[in-house]
Amino acid sequence: MKIEYITLVVYLGVLLLLGGLFARFNKNLSDFVRGGAQGTWWMVGTSMLMSGISAFTFTGNAAAAYEGGPSLLIIYVANCLGFAIGGLFLGKWFRQTRAYTTADVVRTRFGTAVEQFSAISGVFLGPFGAAIQLYALSLFASTVLQIDLVPVLIAIGVIVTFYSTTGGKWAVMATDFVQALVMYSITLLVCFLALRAVGGFSGFIEYFSDPRVAEDYRFINDAGQFPGDRFTYQWAVVVFFMQIYSQISMSAAGRYIAARDGREAARASWWAFATMAIGSAVWFIPPMVARFMFETELMDSGLDKPSESSYAFIATKLLPNGMLGMLIAAMFAATMSSMDSGLNAQVGNIARNIVPRLRGALGYKDELAPKTEIRICHLSTIVLGAIIITYGLLIASQTKFALFDAYLILGSVIGVPMGFPMLMGLWIKKLPKWSYFPIFGGCMLPSFWSFWVQHSTGEEWTIQQRTMWILIFGLVATIICRLFYRSTSDKSRADVDEFFKTMHTPIDYEKEVGSTSIDYDQYFVLAKAVFGVGAAVLLILLVPNDWGARVCILFVSGFILASGGLLYWGGLRARQKVQAIIAERDAD
């Protein structure tokens, strides 16, 4: 097991190093919270992908694949469709808002009161989602390494907080990219080994007719077949909406605002679409193969929640000696990328939206110096990191909810009501600025009612029941608010018109951003880090293995090193382009 610890320590060391390297890119608040709006499409797109997955993908969602087969893929179909819409036009629109944070977008559409509500509620509620992801990773690591999850949980939280504090958005995007390479290379290998073990893709498909799983592995299942009526038609419709609505509403704006311009934002979304589609095709084959081949052994393993450990279980069975550390690093990658993006977004809300309003209320009219804004970002990151770790420890101490259900319950009770007005405000132009709170209130009524019913009668609503009623009440509230649009003031209507006009106005990068040297710096700094990771993987060849296992190790290392080579080549091209621009200016 020593090689696994060494692999993990080296990997985490690279992440900490990247945080320090990208710290020099941060000169002001814009740099820290949105990378100075200078992110390239491949870096922004990869960060978008990684912020949408976590170790929960390989624990909670893997458990759903283990139990219900392909039914959970509806979640990833929605994700891919959301990215496709972003690539077609939405990514461009969001970047062209010229916002620093999502709360900025909310303010220009709904006003300051909604900005503050959105920012403050995000700071309080955002850490819950990150804590669930942190717990999921700790569960995975404790299963594989056979150690207590509490020290793992604390260590991961501290590391993510450290590099997010030092490097800001630049470090978040850079580490997301490196982590994506690690995660993709090892999960592709696990998928290949699982398919080989089960007799290839044809053998995998044949297992779907096995009497042990045939009833459970239908794409749509009957009511009552699974707890909470999961995997039914109604469940599929509701979960599809819950996944896609957040990607096509104003709450998704933060994904795109780090891109250089609208074109780069659109390309980033298409990149996220392609990588998410590939990932969806390979991430959930291993847990299903675990059900086919190792069901009895897994159920008798003594694990508290064996289905949530199905991915880790089959990986330990199939991976070559020394590669288990890479798998753990991949799971660390998936979760840490979600946590750091969430941390950075909430820090942006504090430094950009909450603190300035608070200072104004106290009578301070002068603007903060850039260094002071950076210090606020550092302090906010540390405090939020501590809150996430605390929430994670609390989640680890409860046994009532399964991970998959807990994540969806949180989204249906709070996430859908808060996000629904943002969805309507983006797609319905003639909606008053004051409409957010009436729509939000309408959406919350079914949530409150469901808890009252459960408390008074003991009848518990399913996620799909609650979400359906939330949508119905939200639509009714939206229609009522729309009827009052003409009665709003001229200034209010002019503000709404200005929001949509700005959103559809292309960005002139040279005039609005200007800096070009960071273009090739992104390539070179990342290329060096990727080369280091790829070379470290090669050292696993020293571990005793047969030739087949060594080929697997070479594949992972080659995948990472080849990516580093492409980055270095891209950096050379970007530098030549910048030098040509400078030479042309000097000639004029």
Side-chain angles (χ1 to χ4, degrees):
M1 184 64 73
K2 290 183 179 180
I3 185 64
E4 273 69 45
Y5 288 106
I6 294 172
T7 303
L8 198 54
V9 168
V10 170
Y11 171 73
L12 295 176
V14 170
L15 298 186
L16 294 173
L17 178 63
L18 277 174
L21 290 174
F22 276 93
R24 64 187 176 88
F25 284 29
N26 294 318
K27 297 179 177 62
N28 52 49
L29 181 61
S30 176
D31 291 335
F32 196 95
V33 302
R34 61 169 187 166
Q38 298 175 71
T40 50
W41 63 268
W42 49 268
M43 183 183 278
V44 175
T46 304
S47 188
M48 287 165 56
L49 167 78
M50 294 300 288
S51 66
I53 61 175
S54 67
F56 180 83
T57 303
F58 303 96
T59 52
N61 284 355
Y66 179 90
E67 295 168 357
S71 300
L72 93 157
L73 290 179
I74 193 69
I75 296 173
Y76 294 88
V77 171
N79 285 339
C80 290
L81 180 58
F83 285 133
I85 294 172
L88 289 171
F89 48 84
L90 206 53
K92 182 193 304 182
W93 291 358
F94 284 142
R95 175 59 186 93
Q96 290 168 183
T97 61
R98 280 79 171 171
Y100 280 41
T101 65
T102 301
D104 282 351
V105 182
V106 173
R107 182 185 67 252
T108 55
R109 178 61 179 90
F110 289 113
T112 303
V114 180
E115 171 209 27
Q116 292 302 293
F117 175 76
S118 174
I120 294 172
S121 60
V123 169
F124 278 99
L125 297 176
F128 277 111
I132 290 175
Q133 295 163 350
L134 179 59
Y135 166 69
L137 174 58
S138 303
L139 175 67
F140 185 95
S142 64
T143 300
V144 176
L145 297 175
Q146 298 179 354
I147 58 177
D148 185 51
L149 67 82
V150 171
V152 174
L153 188 150
I154 294 173
I156 298 167
V158 169
I159 290 170
V160 172
T161 301
F162 179 83
Y163 73 70
S164 297
T165 301
T166 54
K169 185 65 174 180
W170 281 116
V172 168
M173 292 190 294
T175 53
D176 284 354
F177 188 85
V178 173
Q179 292 180 120
L181 293 179
V182 173
M183 185 203 68
Y184 256 89
S185 59
I186 196 67
T187 54
L188 283 170
L189 176 60
V190 172
C191 180
F192 167 77
L193 294 175
L195 284 174
R196 186 177 69 175
V198 84
F201 189 73
S202 59
F204 174 75
I205 296 298
E206 287 176 5
Y207 265 100
F208 278 72
S209 58
D210 189 312
R212 295 177 301 156
V213 301
E215 188 69 16
D216 292 341
Y217 275 25
R218 294 176 296 168
F219 191 77
I220 299 296
N221 294 276
D222 299 327
Q225 188 172 341
F226 289 92
D229 284 346
R230 286 184 294 165
F231 313 134
T232 61
Y233 277 113
Q234 189 181 27
W235 179 91
V237 170
V238 169
V239 168
F240 181 86
F241 174 80
M242 286 175 61
Q243 284 300 120
I244 198 172
Y245 95 96
S246 61
Q247 298 191 57
I248 59 173
S249 75
M250 281 182 279
S251 58
R255 294 178 170 183
Y256 301 95
I257 57 181
R260 288 163 49 94
D261 53 30
R263 180 173 175 269
E264 288 283 292
R267 293 177 69 186
S269 199
W270 282 119
W271 177 244
F273 165 83
T275 49
M276 178 64 78
I278 295 170
S280 303
V282 303
W283 293 331
F284 302 110
I285 288 176
M288 287 188 271
V289 173
R291 174 85 180 267
F292 299 153
M293 300 185 65
F294 304 110
E295 180 179 13
T296 301
E297 186 176 352
L298 180 58
M299 290 298 123
D300 294 341
S301 63
L303 296 170
D304 292 337
K305 300 173 182 177
S307 62
E308 291 182 0
S309 302
S310 57
Y311 194 101
F313 186 88
I314 191 170
T316 58
K317 289 283 186 181
L318 301 177
L319 282 173
N321 293 330
M323 289 298 288
L324 195 56
M326 286 297 296
L327 175 70
I328 300 169
M331 300 307 102
F332 274 48
T335 296
M336 294 166 79
S337 58
S338 297
M339 285 182 60
D340 60 25
S341 295
L343 259 176
N344 187 258
Q346 301 311 327
V347 167
N349 286 339
I350 293 171
R352 170 73 174 177
N353 304 104
I354 297 176
V355 170
R357 299 287 180 236
L358 182 60
R359 292 184 79 250
L362 295 174
Y364 295 97
K365 296 182 179 180
D366 58 310
E367 293 187 0
L368 292 171
K371 287 186 178 180
T372 303
E373 291 178 327
I374 295 294
R375 290 193 189 101
I376 291 173
C377 290
H378 290 165
L379 179 61
S380 301
T381 306
I382 293 170
V383 172
L384 286 174
I387 292 172
I388 290 171
I389 293 171
T390 302
Y391 284 169
L393 293 172
L394 292 174
I395 292 170
S397 65
Q398 68 85 35
T399 58
K400 183 177 181 180
F401 297 110
L403 274 179
F404 187 75
D405 294 331
Y407 201 74
L408 292 179
I409 288 171
L410 182 65
S412 68
V413 173
I414 300 295
V416 175
M418 290 188 65
F420 193 78
M422 295 190 185
L423 177 67
M424 297 294 102
L426 178 66
W427 296 100
I428 302 176
K429 181 177 180 179
K430 294 183 178 181
L431 199 62
K433 290 183 68 174
W434 50 258
S435 62
Y436 181 94
F437 289 114
I439 297 173
F440 171 69
C443 290
M444 284 301 296
L445 287 175
S447 287
F448 289 134
W449 180 259
S450 67
F451 283 110
W452 184 85
V453 169
Q454 182 178 350
H455 177 73
S456 59
T457 67
E459 180 184 349
E460 187 172 347
W461 283 23
T462 63
I463 292 170
Q464 47 269 37
Q465 286 175 317
R466 183 185 300 111
T467 305
M468 281 290 189
W469 282 109
I470 288 172
L471 298 183
I472 291 171
F473 274 68
L475 285 171
V476 171
T478 301
I479 293 170
I480 294 172
C481 291
R482 169 65 182 83
L483 296 175
F484 285 94
Y485 182 74
R486 289 192 177 183
S487 65
T488 57
S489 67
D490 292 340
K491 183 183 184 306
S492 179
R493 292 199 298 272
D495 288 343
V496 173
D497 290 340
E498 183 64 25
F499 168 78
F500 284 95
K501 179 182 178 181
T502 301
M503 192 169 65
H504 291 89
T505 302
I507 288 172
D508 187 327
Y509 183 78
E510 291 295 322
K511 291 182 179 179
E512 297 185 39
V513 182
S515 176
T516 55
S517 62
I518 289 180
D519 291 357
Y520 58 82
D521 279 349
Q522 295 176 56
Y523 286 94
F524 290 140
V525 172
L526 270 177
K528 292 174 184 177
V530 170
F531 282 142
V533 173
V537 175
L538 280 176
L539 296 177
I540 301 177
L541 289 172
L542 300 175
V543 178
N545 271 304
D546 58 33
W547 279 106
R550 293 179 187 276
V551 170
C552 293
I553 297 168
L554 286 172
F555 164 76
V556 174
S557 177
F559 183 95
I560 296 172
L561 289 172
S563 300
L566 289 173
L567 284 171
Y568 194 81
W569 174 71
L572 293 175
R573 291 190 61 189
R575 185 167 62 183
Q576 290 173 356
K577 183 178 178 180
V578 171
Q579 290 172 342
I581 293 173
I582 294 173
E584 185 178 342
R585 288 176 179 171
D586 292 342
D588 293 338

